[in-house]
Amino acid sequence: MRILFVCTTGGSGRRQLGGAERFLIEMLPALTRQGVDVVAATPDDEVAASLRESGIRWLPLGATKRIDLGYAREIRRIVDELRPDVVSAHLLSAAMHARVGLGVQSRRTPLVVALHNSLWQYRDAAESLRAKAAVQANITTDLISRRLRPHATVAVSTFEGEELQVRGHVRNVHVIPNPLPAIWPDVSDLPSLAPAGQVRVGFLGRLEREKGADLLSDIAAALPEVEFLLAGAGTTPIAPLPNIELVGRVDAASFLRRVHCLLVPSRVEAFGRSALEAMSLGIPVVHSGVGGLTEITRRGDGVLGFHAEMTAEAMAAAIRAATRPAAYNEQRRDLAREYAQEYSFARCVQRWLGLYQAVVDDRP
């Protein structure tokens, strides 16, 4: 089976290393090891470099603007040349352009689309009417192009799946949750769930309002005895408080083992991969409960998951509850093992492989 993966990594006009990009970097080599003939068409960036290093056949391709008919034509040309059994499009730009590129003439080539987020969630969280209108334009374009080229859709959480089905009236939706990384520590190998020293709270993600980064300074000010380690980059200013340290890009596993608690105050979160990673290591997560966060933390409520309203006071109170010394017990370790099993990378590979095979078998 040959699969062509298309993705304008980071979206048109910007670069990031988010869930979709990490999916490509880890999943494509894993599918290759399962005997799949994988071809990736992405911009020449960090994702492309990693894929080439893994031996993946890579083609330089990406959208240069929001609507790029040249990008759609190139997708069609590559499909005509390679004749893949499946085209797998990731993120909105690749999804819309793949639908246009394949159109109605390439109906025998199955298309699978994963947006990796909820457009409606972005619209609801937008600060201005102009921003809401821009997201609504994307929603409208997405729904119209879906009718042009029907296909299978993958949602990364039940939340995202229900958003598509209920708000978008989208059919043929498959839920395949994001996995833990391909290489990830086992909680059984950790001698202690609580690091030594003063309480440290971590933030791991983009320093943007959509991720609740505007709340971080106030939360840190409410807990002057707690050290805050903020990993990531973005445009939201962070106050230069003595208990805040900006640590930039980090290795997630090493970073999480340094903190007593992970803070996820997101306004937009279709899944919540950093929360999953923390809980799989027995590290409690204080979170906003939006989108997929409630879904993945539900099993650990009150043990590994602590929901708080999106105010500095509520988040600070939840951090105090989550980092009580008595809370670091074997119940957390047991739950961590359950998360590691349910969201294992190997299990996710088989789910995606099964879906690709199913759409190939069902083609006309």
Side-chain angles (χ1 to χ4, degrees):
M1 178 169 51
R2 173 177 289 172
I3 304 177
L4 171 65
F5 288 85
V6 293
C7 180
T8 293
T9 45
S12 176
R14 61 189 172 92
R15 297 271 72 81
Q16 69 179 41
L17 192 64
E21 291 79 12
R22 293 170 71 182
F23 173 92
L24 295 172
I25 288 172
E26 296 186 333
M27 187 62 65
L28 271 59
L31 290 172
T32 299
R33 291 190 291 272
Q34 293 290 320
V36 177
D37 181 6
V38 170
V39 182
T42 73
D44 191 0
D45 58 9
E46 186 175 353
V47 173
S50 178
L51 293 177
R52 290 195 298 265
E53 185 177 346
S54 298
I56 301 298
R57 182 179 178 185
W58 171 81
L59 302 173
L61 184 65
T64 58
K65 51 189 174 181
R66 184 172 173 270
I67 298 177
D68 187 343
L69 295 181
Y71 182 38
R73 285 193 296 268
E74 277 298 292
I75 292 173
R76 174 62 184 274
R77 184 191 65 78
I78 292 172
V79 169
D80 289 343
E81 177 183 327
L82 298 180
R83 298 190 178 278
D85 296 293
V86 184
V87 175
S88 185
H90 295 265
L91 295 177
L92 180 63
S93 179
M96 293 193 300
H97 288 90
R99 294 169 190 143
V100 174
L102 297 179
V104 296
Q105 296 183 18
S106 299
R107 288 293 177 94
R108 285 189 55 81
T109 303
L111 174 63
V112 177
V113 164
L115 296 184
H116 296 270
N117 57 57
S118 163
L119 296 175
W120 290 275
Q121 195 180 36
Y122 274 94
R123 184 192 64 185
D124 296 345
E127 290 187 85
S128 67
L129 291 176
R130 182 177 180 180
K132 289 181 184 293
V135 180
Q136 182 58 51
N138 283 338
I139 292 172
T140 302
T141 304
D142 177 62
L143 294 178
I144 291 173
S145 63
R146 285 178 184 274
R147 294 182 175 90
L148 171 69
R149 183 51 160 82
H151 54 74
T153 296
V154 173
V156 298
S157 64
T158 301
F159 161 76
E160 186 193 352
E162 290 177 349
E163 289 271 277
L164 287 164
Q165 293 170 317
V166 175
R167 304 179 79 167
H169 306 289
V170 175
R171 299 179 180 180
N172 198 12
V173 176
H174 306 259
V175 176
I176 304 181
N178 282 329
L180 290 163
I183 300 175
W184 194 246
D186 189 325
V187 68
S188 299
D189 297 332
L190 304 181
S192 173
L193 298 181
Q198 73 177 101
V199 173
R200 290 183 295 277
V201 172
F203 173 89
L204 182 59
R206 299 195 305 277
L207 293 174
E208 303 289 351
R209 183 182 180 277
E210 69 195 41
K211 297 300 183 182
D214 55 304
L215 297 173
L216 296 175
S217 298
D218 289 341
I219 297 171
L223 295 169
E225 74 283 6
V226 173
E227 182 181 358
F228 284 76
L229 304 179
L230 310 185
T235 61
T236 299
I238 303 297
L241 298 178
N243 62 332
I244 290 181
E245 181 181 355
L246 300 174
V247 297
R249 286 271 290 275
V250 297
D251 173 73
S254 300
F255 174 77
L256 289 170
R257 283 179 287 188
R258 294 177 60 194
V259 302
H260 295 76
C261 171
L262 184 71
L263 180 59
V264 187
S266 301
R267 294 181 175 87
V268 174
E269 203 70 74
F271 181 76
R273 182 161 170 167
S274 64
L276 169 63
E277 290 173 345
M279 291 186 297
S280 76
L281 297 178
I283 299 164
V285 175
V286 171
H287 63 93
S288 59
V290 304
L293 284 171
T294 296
E295 180 182 331
I296 66 168
T297 59
R298 185 178 295 118
R299 176 181 298 180
D301 277 349
V303 180
L304 285 176
F306 293 80
H307 176 216
E309 297 298 320
M310 290 194 64
T311 66
E313 295 76 13
M315 291 280 175
I319 289 171
R320 291 191 185 97
T323 57
R324 291 179 296 108
Y328 293 90
N329 53 41
E330 285 305 305
Q331 187 179 6
R332 286 188 172 177
R333 198 183 294 270
D334 291 341
L335 276 169
R337 293 190 185 100
E338 292 179 19
Y339 275 110
Q341 180 177 0
E342 181 175 351
Y343 293 95
S344 74
F345 184 77
R347 184 177 185 183
C348 185
V349 171
Q350 292 306 312
R351 286 175 171 175
W352 275 96
L353 190 60
L355 174 61
Y356 290 137
Q357 189 62 62
V359 298
V360 168
D361 292 343
D362 288 345
R363 65 184 171 184

